């Protein structure tokens, strides 16, 4: 019976193909909108997560001063290399510790110049920030101890200053110093906040302190935490150690801050989720409107087919058999809308993710939910017209022209 | 399983149809209309009965009640001994499905549906397996002389052909009773006589009881009995066979 009802429904849909398509347009758009929203949301979340992960896994960033509002300045003293060495020695959960100081400077090669960020640091930096070398080498022990004028450059700096030329062993002029390029970093691409991660020049910390900054300051200590150790615990350990080294009494606040990248990831993905949920809710409203469209057309269909219903009832169709027939038709219509919506959504998602440069994340769950939801819309909005058909009086129905 | 849950038709000896003091009343008080007013009627298995009468005489109401499409306000209707007035809507649908066949003046075929599928329709509701369904429907169409027309839709058939499809649809289930409401009302004389021959054949060869409403005396002449309705009552019963 169900099979027959399905065949009948499909035939009825095919007979009124234009009307059927117009009827299910609401469902198609609703389903497509929901899936596209969720797919783009998932893609954005994935992108944020990936970008933050590319900064380094389990990364803690220790800076001088607390996060301050605009206009406020911290007069807390900078870190020194010995702080970083103390962390390396005393905090066992720290896998790598990279002290660094940086400044914005203009780098010059021949007649080309490029404003970039110069950081003095050591080889731990490559570790904590997940940098890999495209060519050349990292810093040698001699470079680091002797404060030699060598540097490793990012892909953007290479492009701007050297073009396609091989930068290794070439010299870059920074302020009054010339430094020799010994390594080229592999490109990472855009960062979360739209900053270019590849726009940087690295040199040994000692070289930076002597030749660029003229002091012994370390502004940033980046710590990568061992796998399996919670960043919260390590954060507490770091805070304890630094408070002690900086002689902060129990009543005083920290004059430095430890930021956990995981926290930032959570915050950003959380925001994306809320936005996705809101947009999805708006899209879901169109599913409801689509359902009303189906009810409308099913009511018209019942009226048009009154005579047919009369014939069926007269030759012995039961109320529930007529009900089933019309309900199946409504569900077939709405499910068809669901399927078309899913196809449309997959096409649109592929196009939009490419356009917005967001990874395409296929979410099978939402596709299934959307399909079942569209079928449910058919059941809910098809029931009333179907019941009207089933309750017709066969004598009246046969008399109708 | 009995097709009529708990209401199996009683002994063969009971008349096929037995109306006792059946009335159908619309409205109430001064607006009361008695479409049927105390009708008594018995039809035996195997009879061919014609029903005649002017418009408004109650013959359509009587046919609706006899066809289990409607219920009497007063009185009792026994179909093979089963009190139809005590059946609910679904039980009456099952009774129609298993024991009755209908032929209408306006043919009442499904549009845009082939002759074969129209004839199969009652078998679908009887849950006949599809292979058997096709075979039975083809046989029925062959019997009414429409071999080769199986895949034509009603709009591609003449009136006479459409009525033959309707007859095939009514008899494909081997009903006990075939109710024909002015089956020749929309057809010319030659076609009308062909349809009557078909009905006579069904009555004689398949032992299907036929109850037919008609306006035309020469169609009524085919019947064993003619029942005249007037003002909601049975006015007269004629036995044409006796006259001839």
């Amino acid at each position: 019976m169900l099979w027959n009802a399905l065949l009948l429904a499909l035939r009825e849909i095919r007979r009124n193909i234009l009307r059927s398509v117009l009827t299910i347009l609401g469902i198609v758009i609703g389903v497509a909108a929901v899936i596209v929203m969720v797919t783009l949301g998932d893609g954005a979340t994935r992108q944020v997560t990936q970008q933050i992960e590319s900064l380094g896994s389990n990364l803690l960033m220790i800076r001088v001063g607390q996060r301050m509002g605009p206009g406020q300045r911290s007069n807390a003293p900078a870190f020194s290399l010995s702080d970083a060495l103390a962390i390396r020695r005393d905090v066992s959960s720290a896998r790598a510790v990279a002290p660094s100081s940086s400044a914005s400077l203009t780098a010059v090669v021949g007649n080309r110049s490029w404003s970039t960020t110069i950081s003095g640091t050591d080889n731990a930096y490559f570790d904590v920030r997940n940098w890999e070398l495209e060519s050349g080498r990292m810093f040698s022990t001699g470079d680091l101890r002797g404060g030699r004028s060598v540097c490793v450059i990012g892909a953007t700096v290479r492009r701007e200053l050297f073009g396609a030329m091989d930068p290794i062993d070439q010299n870059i002029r920074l302020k009054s110093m010339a430094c020799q390029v010994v390594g080229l970093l592999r490109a990472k691409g855009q960062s979360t906040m739209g900053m270019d991660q590849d726009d940087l020049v690295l040199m040994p910390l000692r070289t930076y302190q002597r030749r660029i900054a003229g002091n012994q300051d370390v502004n940033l200590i980046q710590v990568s935490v061992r796998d399996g150790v919670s960043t919260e615990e390590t954060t507490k350990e770091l805070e304890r150690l630094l408070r002690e080294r900086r002689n902060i009494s129990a009543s005083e606040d920290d004059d430095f801050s430890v930021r956990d990248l995981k926290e930032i990831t959570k915050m950003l993905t959380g925001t994306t989720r809320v936005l996705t949920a809101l947009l999805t809710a708006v899209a879901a409203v169109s599913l409801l409107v689509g359902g009303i469209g189906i009810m409308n057309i099913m009511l018209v269909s019942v009226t048009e087919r009154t005579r047919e219903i009369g014939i069926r009832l007269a030759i012995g169709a039961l109320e529930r058999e007529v009900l089933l027939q019309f309900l199946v038709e409504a569900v077939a219509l709405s499910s068809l809308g669901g399927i078309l919506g899913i196809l449309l959504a997959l096409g649109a998602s592929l196009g939009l993710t490419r356009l917005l440069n967001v990874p395409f994340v296929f979410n099978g769950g939402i596709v299934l939910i959307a399909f079942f939801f569209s079928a449910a819309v058919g059941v809910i909005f098809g029931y009333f017209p179907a019941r009207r058909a089933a309750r017709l009086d066969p004598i009246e129905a046969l008399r109708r022209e | 399983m009995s097709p009529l849950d708990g209401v199996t038709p009683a002994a063969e000896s009971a008349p096929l149809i037995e109306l006792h003091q059946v009335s159908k009343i619309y409205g109430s008080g001064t607006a009361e209309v008695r479409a049927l007013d105390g009708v008594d009627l018995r039809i035996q298995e195997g009879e061919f009965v014609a029903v005649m009468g002017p418009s408004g005489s109650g013959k359509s109401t009587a046919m609706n009640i006899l066809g289990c499409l409607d219920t009497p306000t007063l009185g009792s209707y026994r179909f093979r001994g089963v009190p139809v007035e005590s059946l609910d809507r679904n039980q009456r649908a099952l009774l129609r499905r298993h024991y009755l066949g209908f032929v209408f003046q306006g043919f009442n075929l499904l549009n845009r549906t082939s002759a074969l599928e129209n004839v199969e329709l009652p078998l679908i509701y009887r849950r006949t397996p599809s292979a058997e369904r096709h075979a039975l429907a083809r046989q029925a169409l062959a019997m009414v002389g429409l071999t080769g027309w199986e895949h034509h839709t009603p709009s591609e058939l003449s009136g006479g052909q459409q009525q033959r499809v309707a007859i095939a649809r009514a008899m494909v289930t081997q009903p006990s009773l075939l109710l024909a409401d002015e089956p020749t009302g929309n057809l010319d004389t030659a076609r009308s006589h062909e349809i009557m021959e078909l009905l006579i054949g069904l009555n004689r060869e398949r032992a299907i009881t036929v109850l037919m409403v008609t306006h035309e005396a020469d169609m009524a002449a085919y019947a064993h009995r003619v029942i005249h309705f007037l003002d909601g009552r049975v006015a007269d019963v004629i036995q044409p066979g006796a006259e001839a």
Side-chain angles (χ1 to χ4, degrees):
Chain A
M1 206 66 225
L2 199 64
W3 178 242
N4 275 315
L6 188 64
L7 288 179
L8 267 177
L10 291 178
R11 177 193 290 185
E12 213 48 57
I13 290 168
R14 217 174 41 227
R15 273 181 185 166
N16 296 305
I17 189 72
L18 180 65
R19 184 165 87 180
S20 302
V21 168
L22 291 175
T23 304
I24 62 177
L25 213 52
I27 298 280
V28 173
I29 292 169
V31 165
V34 168
I35 296 178
V36 167
M37 283 308 153
V38 171
T39 306
L40 288 185
D42 284 355
T45 307
R46 168 80 60 90
Q47 189 181 37
V48 167
T49 318
Q50 271 174 352
Q51 281 167 347
I52 290 173
E53 269 168 9
S54 78
L55 287 176
S57 50
N58 301 334
L59 183 63
L60 297 176
M61 298 178 113
I62 313 166
R63 283 177 206 276
V64 168
Q66 279 293 335
R67 259 168 278 176
M68 301 223 173
Q72 288 177 283
R73 287 200 60 160
S74 166
N75 49 11
F79 299 118
S80 68
L81 181 61
S82 60
D83 290 321
L85 295 177
I87 294 170
R88 233 173 242 176
R89 191 179 60 236
D90 294 342
V91 181
S92 57
S93 56
R95 188 168 55 83
V97 181
S100 63
S101 278
S102 48
S104 286
L105 279 182
T106 303
V108 181
V109 171
N111 57 1
R112 301 196 200 199
S113 68
W114 179 248
S115 177
T116 182
T117 306
I118 318 295
S119 297
T121 184
D122 60 23
N123 285 332
Y125 190 91
F126 300 102
D127 189 340
V128 297
R129 297 295 290 259
N130 284 352
W131 280 113
E132 283 172 26
L133 285 172
E134 181 75 37
S135 60
R137 61 173 175 86
M138 294 197 280
F139 304 120
S140 69
T141 318
D143 294 337
L144 294 165
R145 291 239 177 96
R148 287 190 194 143
S149 299
V150 292
C151 58
V152 173
I153 62 173
T156 304
V157 177
R158 181 257 177 113
R159 191 182 67 234
E160 295 298 333
L161 294 181
F162 296 101
M165 214 171 74
D166 180 13
I168 304 298
D169 291 337
Q170 302 292 321
N171 280 315
I172 294 180
R173 199 153 48 78
L174 296 161
K175 268 186 162 176
S176 58
M177 72 173 279
C179 78
Q180 187 190 13
V181 176
V182 295
L184 172 64
L185 297 170
R186 181 162 292 159
K188 272 189 179 181
Q190 290 272 314
S191 170
T192 321
M193 323 299 184
M195 282 183 335
D196 182 358
Q197 294 191 84
D198 296 317
D199 186 8
L200 82 172
V201 174
L202 300 176
M203 61 176 62
L205 180 62
R206 182 162 288 180
T207 317
Y208 177 88
Q209 287 172 334
R210 279 190 197 155
R211 308 287 300 270
I212 309 267
N215 58 36
Q216 297 293 304
D217 291 355
V218 168
N219 301 329
L220 170 69
I221 302 175
Q222 297 175 89
V223 176
S224 115
V225 180
R226 272 180 215 290
D227 287 337
V229 181
S230 86
T231 49
E232 285 83 2
E233 252 169 64
T234 311
T235 303
K236 277 192 197 124
E237 219 174 314
L238 288 169
E239 280 168 351
R240 209 176 311 127
L241 178 71
L242 287 172
R243 281 177 76 89
E244 192 180 310
R245 288 183 64 84
R246 293 165 77 83
N247 296 318
I248 300 170
S249 68
S251 59
E252 287 176 285
D253 287 334
D254 293 348
D255 64 354
F256 60 92
S257 64
V258 182
R259 288 173 75 186
D260 186 343
L261 268 186
K262 266 192 187 156
E263 297 288 316
I264 301 174
T265 314
K266 267 186 209 155
M267 192 185 77
L268 286 173
T269 55
T271 314
T272 318
R273 286 227 179 86
V274 170
L275 272 174
T276 307
L278 274 175
L279 289 170
T280 309
V282 172
V285 171
S286 64
L287 269 179
L288 196 74
V289 176
I292 293 168
I294 285 194
M295 177 155 71
N296 190 12
I297 289 299
M298 287 307 295
L299 281 173
V300 170
S301 179
V302 167
T303 310
E304 279 180 356
R305 287 152 69 192
T306 300
R307 227 163 127 80
E308 174 197 328
I309 297 161
I311 294 168
R312 289 176 183 279
L313 289 170
I315 65 171
L318 297 180
E319 233 172 89
R320 64 179 142 87
E321 288 166 335
V322 174
L323 183 92
L324 186 75
Q325 183 192 334
F326 280 85
L327 206 53
V328 164
E329 193 173 320
V331 173
L333 263 181
S334 65
S335 305
L336 193 70
I339 291 168
L340 289 181
I342 288 167
L343 293 179
L344 182 67
L346 292 182
S349 302
L350 275 171
L352 278 173
T353 47
R354 195 162 294 170
L355 197 72
L356 299 173
N357 211 5
V358 169
F360 175 75
V361 184
F362 179 77
N363 186 333
I366 194 66
V367 168
L368 271 182
I369 289 172
F371 178 74
F372 284 115
F373 197 85
S374 64
V377 163
V379 174
I380 293 163
F381 292 95
Y383 184 77
F384 173 62
R387 204 189 56 168
R388 174 176 275 198
R391 297 230 171 138
L392 282 175
D393 176 7
I395 300 170
E396 287 293 320
L398 281 172
R399 215 171 276 161
R400 202 89 56 86
E401 211 29 74
Chain B
M1 195 191 84
S2 160
L4 293 168
D5 290 329
V7 277
T8 323
E12 293 289 315
S13 59
L16 182 66
I17 284 172
E18 194 172 13
L19 294 185
H20 181 68
Q21 284 299 306
V22 165
S23 297
K24 184 71 183 178
I25 303 166
Y26 295 104
S28 61
T30 50
E32 183 182 287
V33 177
R34 288 184 173 249
L36 285 181
D37 192 7
V39 172
D40 289 307
L41 186 65
R42 273 169 167 252
I43 295 172
Q44 298 294 337
E45 200 110 25
E47 274 194 275
F48 192 128
V49 178
V51 175
M52 296 190 80
S55 321
S57 62
K59 60 183 193 305
S60 291
T61 309
M63 288 297 272
N64 286 338
I65 289 175
L66 290 170
C68 304
L69 292 165
D70 205 351
T71 48
T73 315
L74 297 169
S76 84
Y77 167 26
R78 287 176 183 270
F79 182 84
R80 280 196 175 160
V82 175
V84 176
E85 67 275 5
S86 67
L87 302 180
D88 66 18
R89 191 175 145 103
N90 278 330
Q91 287 172 318
R92 279 186 279 125
L94 287 171
L95 197 151
R96 290 196 297 273
R97 175 186 298 183
H98 291 279
Y99 298 100
L100 304 186
F102 290 90
V103 175
F104 305 93
Q105 179 181 5
F107 318 135
N108 277 335
L109 298 174
L110 297 188
N111 294 325
R112 299 199 283 183
T113 305
S114 74
L116 190 69
E117 285 172 296
N118 264 293
V119 176
E120 281 182 41
L121 195 62
L123 297 172
I124 289 175
Y125 288 109
R126 281 188 165 208
R127 310 283 195 281
T128 309
S130 64
E132 193 186 338
R133 208 164 70 209
H134 295 315
L136 285 172
R138 279 177 188 283
Q139 277 172 29
L141 281 171
M143 209 216 75
V144 298
L146 284 178
T147 302
W149 295 90
E150 286 89 349
H151 299 290
H152 290 74
T153 59
S155 60
E156 297 164 346
L157 298 173
S158 70
Q161 286 174 318
Q162 288 187 51
Q163 195 60 299
R164 287 154 184 258
V165 174
I167 289 172
R169 181 181 65 188
M171 55 74 61
V172 73
T173 58
Q174 291 289 342
S176 306
L177 174 65
L178 192 147
L179 293 136
D181 191 358
E182 298 195 42
T184 61
N186 287 1
L187 302 175
D188 62 38
T189 317
R191 278 344 115 218
S192 296
H193 285 287
E194 285 172 21
I195 294 297
M196 290 313 301
E197 292 299 335
L198 276 175
L199 293 178
I200 289 289
L202 287 178
N203 177 249
R204 285 202 190 130
E205 282 141 41
R206 308 214 172 203
I208 297 174
T209 309
V210 179
L211 187 59
M212 173 184 74
V213 173
T214 184
H215 276 309
E216 299 151 274
D218 50 344
M219 299 303 139
Y222 282 91
H224 303 154
R225 254 204 305 169
V226 182
I227 297 168
H228 280 271
F229 270 78
L230 192 65
D231 297 332
R233 295 170 188 271
V234 175
D236 198 7
V237 179
I238 303 163
Q239 309 276 356
E243 284 173 19

